[in-house]
Amino acid sequence: MTTIDREATTLSSLHSLTHSNRNVPGGISSALEFSRNPAMHKNQHCIVARQEIGNQLVKQKIKRKKDVKDVYLSNMDLRYCCNLDEFPNLSRLWLNGNRLRFLHFLGHNFRLSELYLSDNNIVSICGTLRYLNGLKTLALNNNQLSRLEETVAEIKTMVSLHVLNLFQNPLTSEPTYRQYILYQLPQIAVLDRTLVLEDERLGAKLNMDQERSRLEEKIGFGRLIREKPVLKPITRGFTIPPKKEIGNNYKRSAFGDDDRVAAERATKRTVVELTRFDWSRVSSSEDRHQLSQLEEGSENE
């Protein structure tokens, strides 16, 4: 007997109580309000969720937890959900139409590809969804999410995410909501049930990253040119400003006395011998080539 079956058998009275109140206003929540202990109240909601999962497994004739692919827990008025770590291959999960506020039960369901959490009371997803890198569809519309940057930071690691619904949340009132989403999540193809066009994506990039765009325009030859280079004149030689102490702390000009310097240079001049040479007497390469051909012909004869 599995854990789900044992819990279903032990709490059969609670199961019948909740099902008998399905048609009463308030649903399952009304049947569970008898408990004033928050921890017990949470456990009761989790037990109801487990019973519903057990019923689905029986209908689908699934006996092994690793064979569970889909779990449907919509419109059950749940405030809490049981931990779903025991279903490692869970692929699609429906939890829409409940009263969930936080999502601390999805820590290890890494194979989730579709997650439907619309029509709840979720106020934050921080630290709960960032590990679900395989998600392709995420529905969070009609909740109480108000922090745009925090929500996007949690979703940003989902590189496979293509469909995202966040409409009817307080964060959508931000003036740059849609542009910010498209800029931070370039992999999104459908946002709030609207197809994302390439022109819209490029426009969001230009508007949200104007500073980066300006810097990219200044990139030249593999390095950043922050300002136009100023060409400085090249000065040759070595000059020393006047009235400066140099050498062994006495003042002197850069080259000393002009007459003394001229006399010193005269003693170091090299002897230049001038010669005259008549280059017209030197034969050219063409003349030497013809001469060598004539000599070869005379030798052959």
Side-chain angles (χ1 to χ4, degrees), residues 258-282:
D258 294 338
D259 295 336
R260 185 180 61 82
V261 172
E264 184 178 355
R265 288 180 177 176
T267 59
K268 296 181 179 180
R269 289 176 182 172
T270 58
V271 178
V272 180
E273 182 180 358
L274 299 177
T275 60
R276 309 183 74 179
F277 187 82
D278 188 4
W279 289 98
S280 62
R281 297 180 179 181
V282 180

Side-chain angles (χ1 to χ4, degrees), residues 25 27 32-33 44 68 95 99 120 128 132 151-152 160 163 188 199 215 222 226 229 231 248 250-251 259 282:
L32 297 175
E33 291 293 339
Q44 291 164 354
V68 177
L95 278 166
R99 292 198 290 170
N120 278 280
T128 58
L132 306 180
T151 302
V152 172
S160 301
V163 180
I188 298 298
D199 293 342
L215 292 178
R226 296 190 178 274
L231 299 178
N248 52 356
Y250 65 90
K251 298 180 180 180
D259 295 336
V282 180

Side-chain angles (χ1 to χ4, degrees), residues 20-257:
S20 63
N21 287 273
R22 281 293 179 91
N23 298 323
V24 178
I28 295 175
S29 180
S30 300
L32 297 175
E33 291 293 339
F34 69 90
S35 175
R36 295 182 179 180
N37 188 335
M40 184 176 295
H41 193 189
K42 178 179 179 180
N43 292 336
Q44 291 164 354
H45 279 271
C46 293
I47 290 170
V48 171
R50 285 183 177 275
Q51 291 176 345
E52 181 62 27
I53 294 174
N55 294 337
Q56 294 179 22
L57 299 185
V58 172
K59 292 180 181 179
Q60 299 176 17
K61 298 180 180 180
I62 297 176
K63 297 182 179 180
R64 299 183 302 178
K65 296 178 181 178
K66 65 179 182 179
D67 295 332
V68 177
K69 302 289 186 181
D70 302 337
V71 171
Y72 188 85
L73 296 174
S74 298
N75 303 316
M76 295 185 64
D77 207 19
L78 295 173
R79 292 186 178 181
Y80 305 95
C81 184
C82 59
N83 198 313
L84 301 174
D85 294 351
E86 56 187 325
F87 306 115
N89 296 323
L90 184 63
S91 178
R92 296 186 295 179
L93 176 62
W94 286 265
L95 278 166
N96 51 297
N98 289 289
R99 292 198 290 170
L100 300 173
R101 289 177 58 84
F102 300 98
L103 307 172
H104 299 296
F105 49 86
L106 294 172
H108 297 86
N109 299 103
F110 303 117
R111 297 189 178 182
L112 268 175
S113 61
E114 298 180 20
L115 181 58
Y116 301 93
L117 296 166
S118 56
D119 303 322
N120 278 280
N121 295 324
I122 301 172
V123 295
S124 175
I125 60 173
C126 183
T128 58
L129 301 180
R130 65 182 60 182
Y131 307 108
L132 306 180
N133 298 328
L135 269 183
K136 298 180 180 179
T137 301
L138 177 60
L140 284 166
N141 50 291
N142 195 16
N143 279 283
Q144 301 300 321
L145 298 173
S146 58
R147 299 179 180 179
L148 179 59
E149 294 183 1
E150 177 185 282
T151 302
V152 172
E154 191 70 19
I155 303 174
K156 198 170 184 178
T157 58
M158 304 175 187
V159 295
S160 301
L161 188 65
H162 298 304
V163 180
L164 176 63
N165 290 332
L166 289 172
F167 59 93
Q168 293 182 347
N169 276 284
L171 56 81
T172 59
S173 61
E174 295 285 342
T176 58
Y177 154 72
R178 188 172 178 89
Q179 290 186 346
Y180 184 79
I181 294 289
L182 297 180
Y183 171 66
Q184 294 290 340
L185 306 174
Q187 71 273 22
I188 298 298
V190 179
L191 176 60
D192 294 340
R193 299 179 180 176
T194 304
L195 185 66
V196 178
L197 302 178
E198 192 62 27
D199 293 342
E200 184 182 13
R201 197 187 309 277
L202 292 176
K205 182 179 185 300
L206 293 175
N207 293 333
M208 297 302 299
D209 200 5
Q210 295 180 0
E211 179 64 22
R212 182 178 178 86
S213 299
R214 286 196 296 267
L215 292 178
E216 287 179 352
E217 292 177 356
K218 297 180 181 180
I219 297 294
F221 302 103
R223 61 179 180 176
L224 178 62
I225 304 174
R226 296 190 178 274
E227 58 184 8
K228 185 177 179 180
V230 178
L231 299 178
K232 298 181 179 180
I234 300 175
T235 57
R236 298 184 180 276
F238 175 72
T239 58
I240 299 178
K243 298 182 180 180
K244 295 292 183 179
E245 294 187 358
I246 62 170
N248 52 356
N249 298 326
Y250 65 90
K251 298 180 180 180
R252 57 172 292 182
S253 62
F255 299 102
D257 184 67

